[in-house]
Amino acid sequence: MLLNLDDYRRAARRQLPRVIFDFIDGGADAEDCVRRNIEDLGKVTLLPRQLRDVSSVDTSVSLFGHSWKSPVALAPTGFNGLLRPGADIVLARAADQMGTPFILSTASNVPLEQIARQANGIRWLQLYIMGGRRIAEQLIRRARNLDYSALVLTVDVAVGGHRERDVRNGMTMPFKPSLRTMLDFGLHPSWALRFMGKGPPKFANLEDPDQGSHSAELAVALGNRQMDRSMAWDNLAWLREHWDGPLLLKGILHPDDARRAVGEGVDGLIVSNHGGRQLDVVPSTIQALPGVLDAVAKAIPVLVDGGFRRGGDIAKALAMGAKAVLVGRPALWGLAVAGEAGVRNVLETFNEELSRTMALLGATQVEELSANYLNNIQK
Amino acid sequence: MLLNLDDYRRAARRQLPRVIFDFIDGGADAEDCVRRNIEDLGKVTLLPRQLRDVSSVDTSVSLFGHSWKSPVALAPTGFNGLLRPGADIVLARAADQMGTPFILSTASNVPLEQIARQANGIRWLQLYIMGGRRIAEQLIRRARNLDYSALVLTVDVAVGGHRERDVRNGMTMPFKPSLRTMLDFGLHPSWALRFMGKGPPKFANLEDPDQGSHSAELAVALGNRQMDRSMAWDNLAWLREHWDGPLLLKGILHPDDARRAVGEGVDGLIVSNHGGRQLDVVPSTIQALPGVLDAVAKAIPVLVDGGFRRGGDIAKALAMGAKAVLVGRPALWGLAVAGEAGVRNVLETFNEELSRTMALLGATQVEELSANYLNNIQK
Amino acid sequence: MLLNLDDYRRAARRQLPRVIFDFIDGGADAEDCVRRNIEDLGKVTLLPRQLRDVSSVDTSVSLFGHSWKSPVALAPTGFNGLLRPGADIVLARAADQMGTPFILSTASNVPLEQIARQANGIRWLQLYIMGGRRIAEQLIRRARNLDYSALVLTVDVAVGGHRERDVRNGMTMPFKPSLRTMLDFGLHPSWALRFMGKGPPKFANLEDPDQGSHSAELAVALGNRQMDRSMAWDNLAWLREHWDGPLLLKGILHPDDARRAVGEGVDGLIVSNHGGRQLDVVPSTIQALPGVLDAVAKAIPVLVDGGFRRGGDIAKALAMGAKAVLVGRPALWGLAVAGEAGVRNVLETFNEELSRTMALLGATQVEELSANYLNNIQK
Amino acid sequence: MLLNLDDYRRAARRQLPRVIFDFIDGGADAEDCVRRNIEDLGKVTLLPRQLRDVSSVDTSVSLFGHSWKSPVALAPTGFNGLLRPGADIVLARAADQMGTPFILSTASNVPLEQIARQANGIRWLQLYIMGGRRIAEQLIRRARNLDYSALVLTVDVAVGGHRERDVRNGMTMPFKPSLRTMLDFGLHPSWALRFMGKGPPKFANLEDPDQGSHSAELAVALGNRQMDRSMAWDNLAWLREHWDGPLLLKGILHPDDARRAVGEGVDGLIVSNHGGRQLDVVPSTIQALPGVLDAVAKAIPVLVDGGFRRGGDIAKALAMGAKAVLVGRPALWGLAVAGEAGVRNVLETFNEELSRTMALLGATQVEELSANYLNNIQK
C-alpha cells in the first residue's frame, strides 16, 4: 500500500534495475550528507496552536509571479530518461495537473520545446554552465521564447561529486554495463520493455535547434557533470544580459554567499546540498537554512530542498521561514512506480500531509506558519 | 510474569488480533512522536533526598474537588468496545476501585447513563465537538444530570491524524476487514468469542436518549475523527453556557495557548499530543511541559499524558510541576490481558512504582515532588 | 583470556546459575540507571600531560587514617554467600592482600568476628538500620571491638528497589526456586558442589553473639531489604553516641544532602545509586558527582561507585575530585570465576589500568589528578 | 572495487593474517578512542562558498622548508616489516612519488641508511627515547648525516598502551604464535610466501652502524614499547644539542602542553592520540584540536592525525586551522593490498577527495580553508 513516500521508495527499488535505483538514491562519498538531511529534519518539532477555525486550509502560495497550489516544486533532476522514455514530459504534465512548478534540468532528455508543447503549467529552466557560453545563451533564449518563467542556476557543481554507487555500478558516461547489470535489466522487464526499439536517452537540450548538431563530447561531459569550473559571481552579469526574468541560485548554504547573491540582484535562493550528491561534508539543509534566512529572508524568497519526505517536513521548513520546498527523489519514485499517476500521487501525498499538518497546527494559510510554531525548548 | 507495563503490552499483543492491537498501539504518520514521548521521558532524571522519614508515603492528591488515591487518571480512549463488549464499564469500575478518575470518551461504546449506574467513582466526560452543537449540548446535559464532575474538551482533533497502521489494516470506518484480518480474528478465539451473538460496538453516546435515534453518518464521522473544524476559542463561551463545572482542555502544547486558556477561564489543562496519534511533528509532552508550566502553572492545574509507562515517569512529571498524569494505552493493555483485574493491576503497578519511587526520593506527599528534585546538571 | 572486567563478567555468567548471576547483575525497574552508569562514564574524557617524568607511579592514597595501595575499595555487597560458602572471607582476604579496604555488609553471610580473625587489612562495616536500634547498636559495638575502622551507613534503602530479574527468577526471600532454576543449578556443578553438605547462606550478623539467637523474620526482612523507613537525619546523633570513628554516608546524590551531611558532622560521602539497584530514575553517579563535589569537596572526602569497569574510569572520577572509587560487581565476578585469586586479579587489573593511565596522563601521584585534566571542550 | 579507504581496510583484512591485521587495526583497552576519532570527525560539517573560479585547485603546502604536494604525510608506524619484507622502503618510495613526507619510525625494520638510498623524497625521523641516551644520539646523528629534514619526538608513550587484541593474539615481544595463528598464516599464503627464506623483521635502527652490535633486550623493549619513562620537558635541551633542524612533538592534546612546547622552542606539534593505541580515555583528536590551536596556532604549525579516512576529513581539520594531516593505518592497508602501488593509490584517493572537496568548497589553495567554512550553527 503506497501510503507514504517511504512506501514509494521501496516500490521504486523493486521496479527499477539496481543501477538505475542507485543512480537516483545515492549520494557523494560516504553518503553522510544524505543521512543528515533525513535525520536532522526528524529532530525539528513544532508546537501546534489549538482552537482556531481551520474549516478551510489553503496550501497555495504566490511566488515569482505565479500562484502555486502548494509550496512544493519539482526539483530539477537530470537524466530522467533512464527511468522511462519521455520521463521529463511525464513529470511536467503531472506537475502541471497538480499546480506545481516543474523545473526542467539542463540534463533533461526531452527538449524545452516539447515540454512547452505538452505541459501548460509553471515551467522553470535549471541551468548548468558548461561547454562555453554559447550553449547557455541558446538555452536561455529558447526558454525565454517558450515562456519558461524563471531561471535556476545550479551553483554547487564546480566539479562532479563522487557517487561511489554509480562507479561501482558502471553508471558513468559513457555507460559501461557489466554482465550483472545486463542480467538485472532482464529481471526488470516492465522497465526494460519501455525502451524497446528506442535508443538510450540523449541530452536533448544540448542539440542546437537551429543547426541540429549534437556534440558527443558535450554529452559525456554533462553526464559526468564536468561543468565550467570558472563560473563565478562576476559571470552573473553576463547571465543577466540574456535573462531579465526571475533568477534563482540553487546550492547556496553559506550566509555570506546568500548576502552576496542579494547584492548581485538575484531574485531567490534555493538552500540545497544537491540531495547529498555533491559534497559530503556539508550540513543538512534544514540545519543550514536558519543561517541563510537570517542573512537574506527579508530581501528575497528562500526555498529549500534535501530529504523532504513528509508534509510535516515541509511545514517545518515553512515555519522556519522558507517559502517553498523542492522535491526530487520522491517524484522519481512516483514516476518509476506508476508514471504520471505516480508522480501526481506523490505530490498529492505531500499536499494531503501538509494540509492535515497545517489544520492540526491551527494554520489555514501557508503564511501563518512562522517562528511562533518553533519549539524553542529544543534549541 | 506481568511485572511492568511493557510486560502488559507484550501480553496484549498476543491476546489481540493485530488490527486491534495496532489500533491501540499506533500513531500518526511515521510515529516519530510516539517514540519521542517514550524516549524523552527516559532522559529526565531526578536527584533523591535521603534520610527523611518515609514510614508512610501518601500518593493521594486533591484535584478539581475530589480526592484521588494517586495522581493518575484513566485517559479517555475511544472505541474501547473493540477490545471486548462493555469495555468502558470495565474500565470505569476498575478506576472506581482504584480511586482513579475515569474519563469517558465521546467515542465510547457504552452510554453515559450505564457508566453512571455501574461505577461510583470520579467520572469525567471527554467531549468531541462534531455533527453540530446539539449533540454536544445533549451530552453535556446528560453528564451534568449524571454527576459527571468535569468536562474535558479535546482540542487537538481539528482533523483526524493519519494512522497508517489502521489504513493498512483496513481499520477505518466503515470497517473493511481483509481475509487476513478475518483469519487473524479466528486465531484469537479468546477475543473473538466474547463478541459471539453481539453486534459490533456502536458509538452509544451519539444516540439521542430522548428520541432513540441513531445517525449512521455521525458514527462514521466519529470513527474517522471528522470533527467540527471550526471549533475555536470563541466557542468556549457557548460551552460555558451549558457547563459550569470544571472545564479542562486536552491537547495544549503551546505556552501561548495555555495563557489564552487561562484568560478564557478554563479550569485545567492536559498537556497532550494525543499519544502521538494526531500530529507527528510535535515534541514529546515531557519536553513541551515546562513551557506550559512556566506560562500557567501558578494559575491552574496542568496535567500531562503521553508515554508514561513507569511510576518513575509520573514522579518526573510531578517534580516538573504537573499535578497528575493520564494513562491510556497501559489501561487498555490491562483490559485486553485480564479485564477488570488487568486494569486494576496496571493501575496498582503504577501506584506501587510511584510509591516506591517517592519513598526512595524522600517524599511522603505528592506535593513534595518539586523542582528541587530535578537534576539540573542534565539541562 | 581474562584481560579486562568485561571478560570477567562473561566468565562469571558462564560459571553461575542464571538466578545468581542476575542477582548480581540486575538493577531496579527498567535498569536504565545501570546503563547510565556505564554509558556516562564512557563520555568523560581526559587530556593527558606529556613529557613528565613518570618513572615511578604511585597509586596509593591515604584516607580515613589508613594508607590504601590504590584509590579503590571493595563495595559492600550483601548475600555474597550465594556465590560460594564463605565468600565474605574470600573477599576480605583478597582485599587485604591488595591493600584495599573491605567493607563488610550488614547482609553478609559471615560474622564480623570471623572476618576479623581471617583478614588483617582495612575493614569497614556497612550498616543497614532495620529491626530496631538494638541490632545496629550491637553491630557497631562488635565492629568497634574488632577494630573495624569506619562505619558506612547506606542511606538509599528506605524501601527495597524492585529488581524485576530477581522476581522473575524467584530470587526473593524466602527463596522459591522453580524447576527451571533447580535444573540450572544442576547445569552448574562447579558452583553447586561447593554447597554440598552445607545449608543455605544465613545472615550471620543478625545473630546476637551474646545470646546466639537468630530471628527468622529479620532475615526475611533483610533479604527483601525491608529497612527502617523512618531513619532520618535526626537519628545520626544516636549513631554517633555509639560510634566515634569515621562515619560515611553511602547513597548521597543531591548536593543539598551533601551539605546537610557535612553540617551533621559526617566524615565522608559515597556518591552512589546502589549500582542502579534501588531507584531507576536517578542520574549516573559520574553525572551527579560534580554537584556533590561543588557542595562539599572542600570539607570532607567524597568517594563514588557505580559502573566503574576500567582503571581509566577511576582516573576520570579522581580528576573530577573524588578521593576513591568503590567496586562491587567486578569483585564478585572475580570471586565467581576464580575465588580469592579471581578477586585479586580483578583488583590487580584495576590497579594496572589505573597505573598505566596515570603514567600516560603524566601523573605520578593520585593527588595530581585534578580538574586540569578534564576535557573542557566536551562540556 | 577500491574506491575509498574503507574498501582498502576490508581488502587488507582479507589479505592479512588476523594477528597482523589486528596489530594495525586495534587500539588500547576498550578501543573507545579509536571509535571517537572516526565518529567525531563525522560530526564536523563545512559550509561551502559557491561561484568562485576553481579552474585550478592546488593542494600543495609549504611546511618546514619543503613543498608538499598535499597537506598529508605518512604517519610513523612501527614494525611495518610484519606486513611484508622491506615495507618501510615501499612506504618511503610511494611517499616520495606522491610528494608526501615519509616519517621513519624508530621501530622501523629497515635502517635509515637504506631508506635514504632508495627514496629521495621528504624524510623525517620519528624518535622514541629508550635504552639510554646514546641510542637516540646515534639515531639523530645518522638522520642528520642522511638529510632527514625533521625530527618527530613521540611524547605519548611513557608506557605502552594495553592493546588487548594483541595480547589475545599472542602478538607480544617475543612473539608467541598459537597453533591458531600458525594456521591463519597458512591460510594467507600471499602474505606468508613473501617471508620465505627470510627471518622475522628486526628493529634495524637499534643496531649500531659503527659497531654492528645488536641488543636483543632492546628489541624486546621496543617491541613492547618500554620507553624511557623519565623523559621530560627538561630533556628537550639535550635533544637540541644534537639536532638543530625542525623538531616536532607528536602526541600533544593539552593546550598547556602546547604552550609549554612553544616556550621550549619546539617547531611544530602533532595533535595525536596515537590512533587510540595508547590511552583510551582521551578525546578524539578533532575534538582536542581547537584547544591546541587556540593556544599556539599563531606561533607554530599544528598537524593532526587519528581517524582520517576521507579527503573531506582533511578539509575539516584544515578549516579548523591544522596545517596538515598524518595518515597511518590507511597507508598500511594500501601496502597490504597492493604494495607500493597500493600506498600510492591510497594517497591518491586522499588527494583526489581533498581536491574535489576544495573545489566544491570554493577553495583553490589550502590556505583558503579557514574558520569561515566552519558550520557555526552546529557548535
Side-chain angles (χ1 to χ4, degrees):
Chain A
M1 217 181 277
L2 296 167
L3 296 184
N4 59 44
L5 275 297
D6 289 329
D7 291 339
Y8 272 95
R9 182 173 177 271
R10 277 185 294 268
R13 189 199 282 268
R14 284 190 302 267
Q15 287 289 324
L16 295 172
R18 178 160 173 182
V19 61
I20 308 295
F21 177 78
D22 277 352
F23 171 70
I24 298 172
D25 203 58
D29 300 326
E31 303 193 351
D32 287 337
C33 181
V34 175
R35 278 186 289 275
R36 261 181 223 124
N37 277 346
I38 303 273
E39 288 176 11
D40 289 357
L41 267 166
K43 291 175 195 162
V44 179
T45 54
L46 303 176
L47 288 170
R49 304 302 308 264
Q50 314 295 15
L51 287 175
R52 292 175 168 190
D53 182 338
V54 291
S55 314
S56 77
V57 168
D58 179 4
T59 61
S60 72
V61 291
S62 180
L63 277 169
F64 303 106
H66 288 87
S67 176
W68 307 10
K69 281 211 193 125
S70 80
V72 173
L74 281 202
T77 50
F79 228 156
N80 297 326
L82 290 172
L83 275 79
R84 67 172 63 197
D88 299 295
I89 300 170
V90 177
L91 288 162
R93 290 172 62 98
D96 180 12
Q97 286 164 57
M98 296 299 296
T100 292
F102 173 70
I103 312 180
L104 186 73
S105 169
T106 293
S108 67
N109 304 114
V110 171
L112 281 77
E113 288 75 11
Q114 199 175 342
I115 297 290
R117 273 196 305 275
Q118 304 214 8
N120 288 308
I122 310 170
R123 290 187 306 271
W124 293 4
L125 176 66
Q126 177 273 336
L127 194 66
Y128 283 132
I129 309 293
M130 57 169 301
R133 293 186 170 188
R134 199 178 55 88
I135 294 172
E137 289 170 7
Q138 281 180 356
L139 280 168
I140 296 172
R141 179 169 43 79
R142 289 157 68 191
R144 203 176 51 221
N145 293 341
L146 295 159
D147 286 331
Y148 283 71
S149 59
L151 193 66
V152 174
L153 179 68
T154 301
V155 295
D156 57 6
V157 287
V159 298
H162 197 237
R163 302 179 195 163
E164 299 183 0
R165 292 203 219 176
D166 289 352
V167 180
R168 289 187 210 281
N169 292 335
M171 181 62 201
T172 44
M173 286 290 282
F175 183 51
K176 292 170 203 138
S178 65
L179 184 60
R180 206 185 68 183
T181 296
M182 297 309 292
L183 278 169
D184 198 19
F185 285 177
L187 290 168
H188 291 86
S190 72
W191 171 86
L193 288 172
R194 289 207 177 84
F195 291 91
M196 284 273 287
K198 297 200 168 79
K202 292 179 183 167
F203 291 126
N205 285 308
L206 294 188
E207 299 191 41
D208 187 331
D210 302 331
Q211 307 177 3
S213 72
H214 185 282
S215 154
E217 304 89 65
L218 253 180
V220 168
L222 183 54
N224 291 331
R225 284 158 288 130
Q226 291 161 353
M227 306 296 166
D228 179 355
R229 297 173 64 148
S230 69
M231 183 68 194
W233 290 105
D234 294 339
N235 306 117
L236 290 184
W238 154 71
L239 264 189
R240 274 305 190 192
E241 283 172 33
H242 298 269
W243 180 263
D244 57 2
L247 171 66
L248 294 91
L249 301 188
K250 177 168 174 286
I252 296 292
L253 292 172
H254 201 295
D256 289 351
D257 281 356
R259 270 181 286 263
R260 173 80 185 256
V262 171
E264 300 282 347
V266 165
D267 301 290
L269 295 182
I270 302 170
V271 170
S272 171
N273 51 30
H274 217 114
R277 295 162 77 82
Q278 283 289 108
L279 182 55
D280 203 29
V281 298
V282 301
S284 66
T285 50
I286 205 72
Q287 199 195 36
L289 182 62
V292 171
L293 287 167
D294 286 353
V296 303
K298 286 175 186 162
I300 55 172
V302 174
L303 290 71
V304 62
D305 69 13
F308 288 82
R309 301 290 176 264
R310 290 273 179 187
D313 294 337
I314 299 172
K316 294 173 184 181
L318 298 174
M320 284 181 172
K323 293 298 178 195
V325 164
L326 276 61
V327 297
R329 291 182 180 96
L332 299 182
W333 299 332
L335 179 69
V337 171
E340 191 174 316
V343 182
R344 276 201 316 268
N345 281 347
V346 161
L347 291 170
E348 236 157 46
T349 300
F350 272 119
N351 290 0
E352 278 169 17
E353 287 181 348
L354 174 61
S355 179
R356 192 185 302 116
T357 298
M358 285 175 62
L360 290 170
L361 287 172
T364 57
Q365 304 284 331
V366 168
E367 294 73 36
E368 294 172 22
L369 293 171
S370 70
N372 184 265
Y373 285 99
L374 298 178
N375 177 18
N376 292 309
I377 300 160
Q378 199 166 39
K379 272 186 188 172
Chain B
M1 217 181 275
L2 296 168
L3 297 186
N4 59 44
L5 275 298
D6 288 329
D7 291 339
Y8 273 94
R9 182 173 178 270
R10 276 185 294 267
R13 190 199 282 266
R14 283 190 302 267
Q15 285 290 324
L16 296 172
R18 178 161 174 181
V19 60
I20 307 295
F21 177 78
D22 276 353
F23 170 70
I24 299 171
D25 202 58
D29 300 326
E31 303 192 352
D32 288 336
C33 181
V34 174
R35 277 185 291 275
R36 260 180 225 125
N37 278 346
I38 304 273
E39 288 176 10
D40 287 358
L41 266 167
K43 291 176 195 162
V44 179
T45 54
L46 302 177
L47 287 170
R49 305 301 308 266
Q50 313 296 14
L51 288 174
R52 292 174 167 191
D53 182 339
V54 292
S55 314
S56 77
V57 168
D58 179 3
T59 62
S60 73
V61 291
S62 180
L63 277 169
F64 304 106
H66 288 88
S67 176
W68 307 11
K69 281 211 193 124
S70 81
V72 174
L74 281 202
T77 49
F79 227 156
N80 297 326
L82 290 172
L83 275 79
R84 65 172 63 197
D88 298 295
I89 301 171
V90 177
L91 288 163
R93 291 173 61 96
D96 180 12
Q97 286 164 57
M98 296 299 296
T100 293
F102 173 71
I103 311 179
L104 186 73
S105 170
T106 294
S108 68
N109 304 114
V110 171
L112 280 77
E113 289 74 13
Q114 199 174 342
I115 297 291
R117 273 198 304 274
Q118 304 214 8
N120 289 310
I122 310 168
R123 289 187 308 271
W124 294 3
L125 176 66
Q126 176 274 337
L127 193 66
Y128 284 131
I129 309 293
M130 57 169 300
R133 294 186 170 187
R134 199 178 55 86
I135 294 172
E137 289 170 6
Q138 281 182 357
L139 279 168
I140 295 172
R141 179 169 44 78
R142 289 158 68 189
R144 203 176 51 222
N145 293 341
L146 294 160
D147 287 331
Y148 283 70
S149 59
L151 193 66
V152 174
L153 179 68
T154 301
V155 295
D156 57 5
V157 290
V159 298
H162 197 236
R163 301 178 195 163
E164 298 184 0
R165 290 202 220 178
D166 288 353
V167 181
R168 289 187 209 281
N169 292 336
M171 182 63 201
T172 45
M173 286 291 281
F175 182 52
K176 292 170 202 137
S178 64
L179 184 61
R180 206 185 67 183
T181 297
M182 296 310 292
L183 276 169
D184 197 20
F185 284 177
L187 290 169
H188 291 85
S190 71
W191 172 86
L193 288 173
R194 290 208 176 82
F195 291 90
M196 284 273 288
K198 298 199 167 82
K202 293 180 183 167
F203 292 124
N205 285 310
L206 294 188
E207 299 191 42
D208 187 331
D210 303 334
Q211 306 177 5
S213 73
H214 185 283
S215 155
E217 304 90 62
L218 253 180
V220 169
L222 183 54
N224 291 331
R225 283 157 290 129
Q226 292 161 352
M227 305 297 167
D228 179 353
R229 298 173 62 148
S230 69
M231 184 68 193
W233 290 105
D234 295 339
N235 306 118
L236 289 184
W238 154 71
L239 264 188
R240 275 301 191 195
E241 283 173 32
H242 299 269
W243 179 264
D244 57 2
L247 172 67
L248 294 90
L249 301 188
K250 176 168 174 286
I252 297 291
L253 291 172
H254 201 294
D256 289 350
D257 280 357
R259 270 182 286 264
R260 173 80 185 255
V262 171
E264 300 283 347
V266 165
D267 302 291
L269 295 182
I270 301 170
V271 170
S272 170
N273 51 30
H274 217 113
R277 294 161 79 81
Q278 283 290 107
L279 182 54
D280 202 29
V281 299
V282 301
S284 66
T285 50
I286 204 72
Q287 199 195 34
L289 182 62
V292 171
L293 287 167
D294 286 353
V296 303
K298 286 176 185 161
I300 55 172
V302 175
L303 290 69
V304 62
D305 69 14
F308 289 82
R309 300 290 176 264
R310 289 274 179 186
D313 293 338
I314 299 172
K316 294 173 184 181
L318 297 174
M320 283 181 173
K323 293 299 180 197
V325 165
L326 276 62
V327 296
R329 292 183 181 96
L332 300 182
W333 298 332
L335 178 69
V337 171
E340 192 174 316
V343 182
R344 276 202 315 270
N345 281 346
V346 161
L347 290 170
E348 237 156 43
T349 300
F350 272 119
N351 290 0
E352 279 170 16
E353 288 180 348
L354 174 61
S355 179
R356 192 185 303 117
T357 298
M358 284 176 63
L360 290 170
L361 286 172
T364 57
Q365 305 283 332
V366 168
E367 294 75 35
E368 294 172 23
L369 293 172
S370 70
N372 183 266
Y373 285 98
L374 298 178
N375 177 19
N376 293 309
I377 299 160
Q378 197 165 42
K379 273 185 188 169
Chain C
M1 218 181 278
L2 297 167
L3 297 186
N4 59 44
L5 275 299
D6 288 329
D7 291 339
Y8 272 95
R9 181 174 179 270
R10 276 185 294 267
R13 190 198 281 268
R14 284 190 301 266
Q15 286 290 324
L16 296 172
R18 177 160 174 181
V19 61
I20 307 295
F21 178 78
D22 276 353
F23 170 70
I24 299 172
D25 202 59
D29 301 326
E31 303 192 351
D32 288 336
C33 181
V34 175
R35 277 185 290 275
R36 260 181 225 124
N37 277 346
I38 303 273
E39 288 175 9
D40 288 358
L41 266 167
K43 291 176 195 161
V44 179
T45 53
L46 302 177
L47 287 170
R49 305 303 306 265
Q50 312 296 16
L51 288 175
R52 292 174 167 192
D53 182 339
V54 292
S55 314
S56 77
V57 168
D58 179 3
T59 62
S60 73
V61 291
S62 179
L63 278 170
F64 304 107
H66 287 87
S67 176
W68 306 11
K69 281 212 193 122
S70 80
V72 173
L74 282 202
T77 51
F79 228 157
N80 297 326
L82 290 172
L83 275 79
R84 66 172 62 196
D88 299 295
I89 301 171
V90 177
L91 288 162
R93 291 173 61 96
D96 180 12
Q97 286 164 58
M98 296 299 298
T100 293
F102 173 71
I103 312 179
L104 187 73
S105 169
T106 295
S108 67
N109 304 114
V110 171
L112 281 76
E113 289 75 12
Q114 199 174 343
I115 296 290
R117 274 198 303 276
Q118 304 214 9
N120 288 309
I122 309 168
R123 291 187 305 271
W124 293 4
L125 176 66
Q126 177 274 337
L127 195 66
Y128 284 132
I129 309 293
M130 56 169 299
R133 292 187 172 187
R134 198 178 56 88
I135 294 172
E137 290 169 5
Q138 280 181 356
L139 279 168
I140 294 171
R141 179 169 44 78
R142 289 159 66 191
R144 204 177 49 222
N145 293 341
L146 294 160
D147 286 331
Y148 283 70
S149 59
L151 195 65
V152 175
L153 179 68
T154 301
V155 295
D156 58 4
V157 289
V159 298
H162 197 236
R163 302 179 195 164
E164 300 184 358
R165 291 201 219 178
D166 288 353
V167 181
R168 290 188 208 281
N169 292 335
M171 181 62 201
T172 45
M173 286 290 282
F175 182 52
K176 292 170 203 137
S178 64
L179 185 60
R180 206 186 65 182
T181 297
M182 297 310 291
L183 277 170
D184 197 19
F185 285 177
L187 289 169
H188 291 85
S190 72
W191 171 86
L193 288 172
R194 289 208 177 82
F195 291 91
M196 283 274 287
K198 299 200 167 79
K202 292 179 183 168
F203 291 124
N205 286 309
L206 294 188
E207 299 192 41
D208 186 330
D210 302 333
Q211 307 177 4
S213 73
H214 185 284
S215 157
E217 305 90 62
L218 253 181
V220 169
L222 183 54
N224 291 332
R225 284 157 290 128
Q226 291 161 354
M227 306 297 166
D228 178 355
R229 297 174 62 148
S230 69
M231 183 68 193
W233 290 105
D234 295 339
N235 305 118
L236 289 184
W238 153 72
L239 264 189
R240 275 302 192 192
E241 284 173 31
H242 298 269
W243 179 263
D244 55 3
L247 172 65
L248 293 92
L249 301 187
K250 177 169 173 287
I252 296 293
L253 291 172
H254 201 295
D256 289 351
D257 280 357
R259 270 182 285 263
R260 173 82 185 255
V262 171
E264 299 283 347
V266 165
D267 301 291
L269 295 182
I270 302 169
V271 170
S272 171
N273 50 31
H274 217 113
R277 293 161 78 82
Q278 283 290 108
L279 182 54
D280 202 29
V281 300
V282 300
S284 65
T285 50
I286 204 73
Q287 199 194 36
L289 182 62
V292 172
L293 287 169
D294 285 353
V296 304
K298 286 175 186 163
I300 55 172
V302 175
L303 290 70
V304 62
D305 70 12
F308 288 81
R309 300 291 177 266
R310 290 273 178 186
D313 293 339
I314 299 172
K316 294 173 183 181
L318 297 174
M320 284 181 171
K323 293 298 181 198
V325 164
L326 276 61
V327 296
R329 291 183 180 96
L332 300 181
W333 298 331
L335 179 69
V337 171
E340 192 174 317
V343 182
R344 276 203 314 270
N345 281 346
V346 161
L347 291 170
E348 237 156 44
T349 301
F350 272 119
N351 290 1
E352 278 169 17
E353 288 180 348
L354 174 60
S355 178
R356 193 185 303 117
T357 298
M358 285 176 62
L360 290 171
L361 287 172
T364 58
Q365 304 284 331
V366 168
E367 294 74 35
E368 294 172 23
L369 293 172
S370 71
N372 184 266
Y373 285 99
L374 299 179
N375 178 18
N376 292 310
I377 300 160
Q378 196 164 44
K379 273 187 187 168
Chain D
M1 217 182 276
L2 297 168
L3 297 185
N4 59 44
L5 275 299
D6 289 329
D7 291 339
Y8 272 95
R9 181 173 178 269
R10 277 185 293 268
R13 190 199 281 267
R14 283 190 301 268
Q15 285 291 323
L16 296 172
R18 180 162 172 179
V19 60
I20 307 295
F21 178 77
D22 277 353
F23 170 70
I24 299 172
D25 203 59
D29 300 327
E31 303 193 350
D32 288 337
C33 181
V34 174
R35 278 185 289 276
R36 260 180 225 126
N37 277 346
I38 303 274
E39 287 176 10
D40 288 358
L41 266 167
K43 291 175 194 161
V44 179
T45 53
L46 303 177
L47 287 170
R49 305 301 308 266
Q50 313 296 15
L51 287 175
R52 292 175 167 191
D53 182 339
V54 292
S55 314
S56 77
V57 168
D58 179 3
T59 62
S60 72
V61 292
S62 180
L63 277 170
F64 303 107
H66 289 88
S67 177
W68 306 11
K69 281 211 194 124
S70 81
V72 173
L74 282 203
T77 50
F79 227 156
N80 297 326
L82 290 172
L83 275 79
R84 65 172 63 196
D88 299 295
I89 301 171
V90 177
L91 288 163
R93 290 172 62 97
D96 180 12
Q97 285 164 56
M98 296 300 297
T100 292
F102 172 71
I103 311 179
L104 186 73
S105 169
T106 293
S108 67
N109 303 116
V110 171
L112 280 79
E113 288 75 12
Q114 199 175 342
I115 298 289
R117 272 197 304 275
Q118 303 214 8
N120 289 308
I122 309 169
R123 291 187 305 272
W124 293 4
L125 175 67
Q126 177 273 337
L127 194 66
Y128 284 131
I129 310 292
M130 57 169 299
R133 293 187 171 186
R134 198 178 56 88
I135 294 172
E137 289 169 6
Q138 280 181 356
L139 279 169
I140 295 171
R141 180 168 44 78
R142 289 159 67 190
R144 203 176 51 221
N145 292 340
L146 295 160
D147 287 330
Y148 282 71
S149 58
L151 194 66
V152 174
L153 179 69
T154 301
V155 294
D156 56 6
V157 288
V159 298
H162 197 236
R163 302 180 194 161
E164 299 184 359
R165 291 202 220 178
D166 288 352
V167 180
R168 289 187 210 282
N169 292 334
M171 181 63 200
T172 44
M173 288 289 282
F175 182 52
K176 293 169 203 138
S178 65
L179 184 61
R180 206 185 66 183
T181 298
M182 296 309 292
L183 277 170
D184 198 18
F185 285 178
L187 290 169
H188 291 85
S190 72
W191 171 86
L193 287 173
R194 290 208 177 82
F195 290 91
M196 283 274 288
K198 299 198 167 83
K202 292 180 182 167
F203 291 125
N205 285 309
L206 294 188
E207 299 191 42
D208 187 330
D210 302 334
Q211 306 177 5
S213 71
H214 185 283
S215 155
E217 306 88 64
L218 253 181
V220 169
L222 183 55
N224 291 332
R225 284 158 288 129
Q226 290 160 355
M227 306 297 167
D228 179 354
R229 297 174 64 148
S230 69
M231 184 67 193
W233 290 105
D234 295 340
N235 306 118
L236 289 184
W238 154 70
L239 264 190
R240 275 304 191 192
E241 284 172 32
H242 298 269
W243 179 264
D244 56 2
L247 172 66
L248 293 91
L249 301 187
K250 176 167 174 287
I252 296 293
L253 291 172
H254 202 295
D256 290 351
D257 281 356
R259 269 182 286 264
R260 173 81 185 255
V262 170
E264 301 283 346
V266 164
D267 301 291
L269 295 182
I270 302 170
V271 170
S272 171
N273 50 31
H274 217 113
R277 294 161 79 81
Q278 282 291 107
L279 183 54
D280 203 29
V281 299
V282 301
S284 65
T285 50
I286 204 72
Q287 199 195 35
L289 182 62
V292 172
L293 287 168
D294 285 354
V296 303
K298 285 174 186 161
I300 54 172
V302 175
L303 290 69
V304 62
D305 69 13
F308 288 82
R309 300 291 176 265
R310 290 271 180 188
D313 294 338
I314 299 172
K316 294 173 183 181
L318 298 174
M320 284 181 171
K323 293 298 181 198
V325 164
L326 275 62
V327 297
R329 291 182 181 98
L332 298 182
W333 299 332
L335 178 70
V337 171
E340 192 174 316
V343 182
R344 276 202 314 269
N345 281 347
V346 161
L347 291 170
E348 236 156 45
T349 301
F350 272 119
N351 290 1
E352 277 169 18
E353 287 180 349
L354 175 60
S355 179
R356 192 185 303 116
T357 298
M358 284 176 63
L360 291 170
L361 287 172
T364 57
Q365 304 283 332
V366 168
E367 294 74 34
E368 293 172 23
L369 294 172
S370 70
N372 183 266
Y373 285 98
L374 298 178
N375 177 18
N376 292 309
I377 300 159
Q378 198 166 39
K379 275 186 188 170

